[in-house]
């Protein structure tokens, strides 16, 4: 055998001895590449959504947290607190904001983590914690004794605002609220995205993709039995609920909702201010029998308005009725102490 043949033979033997990449390693490498690509795509979608739909309101910073809010009108102040998935602009899209602004100073706030409001990591943003932050923001904005309106998850924040400082709230209007602890199917689905580290990975990779695919069904269920309104279809920024930051807010709120209402009725009985409860009779998200009617029974002196044919987004279905309920609050007398 010639020298060149010997070298070639030894090279072939060495090459044969080199370990071949394992199938597991290839799968892991491919998975990592796919996750990285998904993360880059989701960040791009989030930034594009914010570029296409820039903030339309103002900002106020309290305790290092920047909050975005919409404000319009003069007169007795009304504060609007949105629910899950949507932002402060939901009250604009429903027409409630514009109607109220004709005779009131109206402030609609992006709750922490929604829209353009910050939601710092490391804090447990319960309804009470959000209420404490918003109370400071309202003080900074010189909002005195407002009527506070909460929709869905926002009703918990509205109640906590009143419970913490009853004299600082003129009255409450609670729309489509969740008031009694129940077993909820959405909590196990939302919980993983709320877990530190694992949740961070999910909300940058898989969760936005799943969320975008399910959003049409989610919105359909929120508005059912009515169709999603044309204005909402046209103007609602659909990529906002699936931004990584807002996914964290939505997941944490879903997980803390049930614990947040434990004992709420007992605490709310001590409130001596006008409380109006409004609910759609066809609500598929929060049934009015087990929540609105039940809560009304727990609060002697509260007012209950049930809207036939309306679903969870009752302020879209009956904006005039909601505005009338809000405008009626100042004329109602505080409940007498027992």
């Amino acid at each position: 055998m010639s020298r060149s043949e010997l070298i070639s033979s030894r090279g072939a033997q060495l090459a044969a001895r080199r370990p071949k990449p394992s199938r597991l390693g290839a799968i892991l490498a491919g998975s990592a590449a796919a996750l990285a690509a998904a993360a880059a795509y989701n960040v791009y979608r989030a930034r594009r959504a914010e570029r296409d739909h820039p903030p339309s309101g103002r900002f106020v910073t309290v305790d290092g947290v920047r909050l975005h809010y919409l404000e319009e009108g003069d007169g007795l102040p009304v504060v609007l607190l949105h629910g899950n998935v949507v932002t402060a602009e939901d009250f604009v899209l429903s027409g409630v904001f514009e109607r109220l602004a004709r005779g009131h100073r109206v402030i609609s706030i992006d709750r922490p983590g929604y829209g353009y409001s910050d939601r710092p990591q490391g804090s447990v943003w319960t309804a009470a914690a959000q209420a404490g932050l918003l109370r400071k923001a309202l003080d900074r904005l010189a909002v005195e004794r407002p009527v506070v309106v909460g929709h869905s998850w926002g009703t918990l924040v509205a109640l906590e605002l009143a419970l913490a400082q009853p004299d600082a709230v003129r009255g409450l209007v609670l729309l489509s609220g969740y008031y009694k602890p129940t077993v909820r199917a959405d909590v196990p689905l939302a919980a993983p995205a709320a877990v530190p580290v694992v949740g961070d990975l999910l909300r940058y990779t898989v969760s936005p993709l799943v969320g975008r695919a399910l959003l049409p069904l989610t919105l359909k269920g929120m508005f059912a039995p009515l169709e999603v309104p044309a204005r909402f279809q046209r103007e609602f920024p659909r990529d906002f609920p699936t931004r990584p930051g807002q996914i964290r807010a939505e997941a944490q709120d879903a997980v803390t909702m049930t614990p947040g209402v434990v004992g709420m009725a007992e605490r709310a009985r001590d409130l001596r201010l006008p409380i109006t409860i409004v609910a759609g009779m066809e609500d598929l998200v929060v049934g009015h029998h087990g929540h609105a009617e039940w809560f009304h029974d727990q609060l002697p002196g509260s007012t209950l308005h049930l809207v036939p044919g309306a679903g969870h987004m009752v302020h879209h279905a009956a904006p005039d009725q909601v505005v009338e309920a809000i405008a009626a609050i100042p004329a109602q007398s505080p409940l007498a102490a027992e």
Side-chain angles (χ1 to χ4, degrees):
M1 180 181 295
S2 67
R3 183 175 180 178
S4 61
E5 291 175 333
L6 180 60
I7 293 173
S8 176
S9 175
R10 288 180 177 177
Q13 291 174 2
L14 289 173
R17 293 174 185 174
R18 290 191 193 116
K20 296 181 179 179
S22 67
R23 176 174 294 183
L24 177 60
I27 293 173
L28 292 176
S31 299
L35 290 175
Y41 174 70
N42 290 325
V43 169
Y44 163 75
R45 287 283 297 251
R47 290 178 177 172
R48 188 182 68 178
E50 293 171 356
R51 184 180 66 250
D52 294 343
H53 195 86
S56 56
R58 308 170 189 172
F59 290 90
V60 59
T61 300
V62 288
D63 292 346
V65 181
R66 193 171 80 146
L67 297 172
H68 176 249
Y69 68 98
L70 310 174
E71 180 176 353
E72 191 173 323
D74 295 299
L76 187 148
V78 177
V79 174
L80 305 173
L81 303 174
H82 64 85
N84 214 328
V85 179
V86 295
T87 68
E89 289 188 12
D90 181 50
F91 287 104
V92 176
L93 299 180
S94 70
V96 169
F97 187 93
E98 178 185 358
R99 287 169 170 80
L100 285 172
R102 294 168 187 164
H104 299 81
R105 180 189 178 192
V106 189
I107 299 99
S108 186
I109 305 177
D110 279 338
R111 293 192 294 105
Y114 293 81
Y116 282 98
S117 287
D118 295 341
R119 190 180 180 110
Q121 299 247 24
S123 298
V124 180
W125 288 102
T126 61
Q130 293 184 39
L133 183 69
L134 296 182
R135 178 71 263 167
K136 294 179 181 179
L138 295 175
D139 289 343
R140 183 73 58 86
L141 297 173
V143 178
E144 298 182 1
R145 295 197 67 227
V147 175
V148 180
V149 182
H151 172 249
S152 193
W153 211 95
T155 60
L156 303 184
V157 183
L159 282 161
E160 291 291 357
L161 272 168
L163 288 165
Q165 288 185 283
D167 294 339
V169 174
R170 190 178 302 269
L172 296 175
V173 177
L174 308 174
L175 313 174
S176 306
Y178 174 86
Y179 310 109
K180 183 171 66 175
T182 59
V183 176
R184 294 189 58 85
D186 58 331
V187 173
L189 297 175
V195 177
V197 183
V198 173
D200 293 337
L201 176 63
L202 289 174
R203 64 191 179 90
Y204 275 95
T205 55
V206 178
S207 296
L209 303 177
V210 175
R212 277 193 288 273
L214 295 179
L215 186 60
L217 289 177
T218 299
L219 295 178
K220 184 176 181 179
M222 289 165 57
F223 283 95
L226 304 177
E227 296 294 326
V228 180
R231 184 178 181 185
F232 191 94
Q233 288 273 32
R234 184 174 63 251
E235 299 182 28
F236 177 64
R238 289 174 173 262
D239 275 338
F240 267 48
T242 56
R243 293 173 302 161
Q246 190 161 318
I247 287 174
R248 180 167 67 93
E250 293 162 356
Q252 289 178 349
D253 284 356
V255 169
T256 59
M257 182 170 63
T258 299
V261 299
V262 174
M264 178 66 80
E266 290 77 8
R267 296 165 60 207
R269 287 194 193 109
D270 294 331
L271 291 173
R272 299 291 163 232
L273 49 82
I275 299 175
T276 297
I277 301 165
V278 182
M281 296 183 70
E282 305 297 330
D283 192 336
L284 301 181
V285 179
V286 181
H288 70 280
H289 289 302
H291 291 276
E293 291 184 11
W294 176 85
F295 199 52
H296 170 60
D297 290 339
Q298 308 305 306
L299 305 182
S302 64
T303 301
L304 176 65
H305 291 304
L306 297 178
V307 183
H312 192 62
M313 304 296 273
V314 66
H315 52 306
H316 286 264
D320 289 330
Q321 288 180 249
V322 169
V323 169
E324 289 171 5
I326 296 168
I329 287 289
Q332 298 179 30
S333 301
L335 301 180
E338 297 179 356

